[in-house]
Amino acid sequence: QVQPVESGGGLVQAGGSLSLSCLASGRTFSSYTMGWFRQAPGKEREFVSGITWNGDITYYADSVKGRFTISRDNVKNTVYLQMNSLKPEDTAVYYCARRYSSRSIYSPEAYDYWGQGTQVTVSS
């Protein structure tokens, strides 16, 4: 079983940076693609970024491409999301999860074992 715990959220001004971490307990962490999603109040959960089990392939939503970077350390069972040039529209609760299904990597339905989330607030 993989149980993610996110951290690193906070309040930052527009243009600033934050680094999120997702510590996933469980021996099988390194075997799975992991993803970051976010959900703003009143909106559906949306894909932000994903990374394959060995880090060879990364995926980004168009809205964050060029500003966010995903990485992972399988020794530390941790996935990271470096967020630069933050915008007020990036404000949301950020979640990480394990992709268990062959469904689209961009779909929340492809993921299980969601963390509790970490709040990111970007002020203008």
Side-chain angles (χ1 to χ4, degrees):
Q1 179 173 341
V2 176
Q3 184 58 52
V5 177
E6 304 92 341
S7 62
L11 173 64
V12 64
Q13 288 188 333
S17 298
L18 282 175
S19 181
L20 305 185
S21 297
C22 171
L23 175 62
S25 61
R27 292 180 296 176
T28 61
F29 165 82
S30 61
S31 301
Y32 290 91
T33 291
M34 298 293 292
W36 284 98
F37 286 74
R38 66 186 181 188
Q39 189 165 19
K43 295 187 176 181
E44 293 186 352
R45 192 165 297 189
E46 64 173 0
F47 174 85
V48 175
S49 185
I51 187 167
T52 52
W53 69 273
N54 60 357
D56 276 4
I57 303 174
T58 56
Y59 303 82
Y60 297 95
D62 287 343
S63 58
V64 307
K65 205 170 291 183
R67 300 189 297 123
F68 291 11
T69 303
I70 191 171
S71 61
R72 69 189 295 163
D73 184 335
N74 286 344
V75 174
K76 296 182 179 180
N77 279 8
T78 302
V79 181
Y80 306 96
L81 186 67
Q82 177 64 41
M83 307 187 296
N84 299 328
S85 302
L86 283 161
K87 304 175 181 180
E89 51 263 45
D90 294 318
T91 296
V93 178
Y94 283 69
Y95 302 88
C96 71
R98 182 189 76 164
R99 183 188 184 204
Y100 77 103
S101 167
S102 60
R103 291 182 174 182
S104 169
I105 193 171
Y106 302 100
S107 170
E109 295 182 354
Y111 296 80
D112 63 359
Y113 294 124
W114 293 83
Q116 293 293 99
T118 185
Q119 175 71 47
V120 171
T121 304
V122 184
S123 63
S124 56

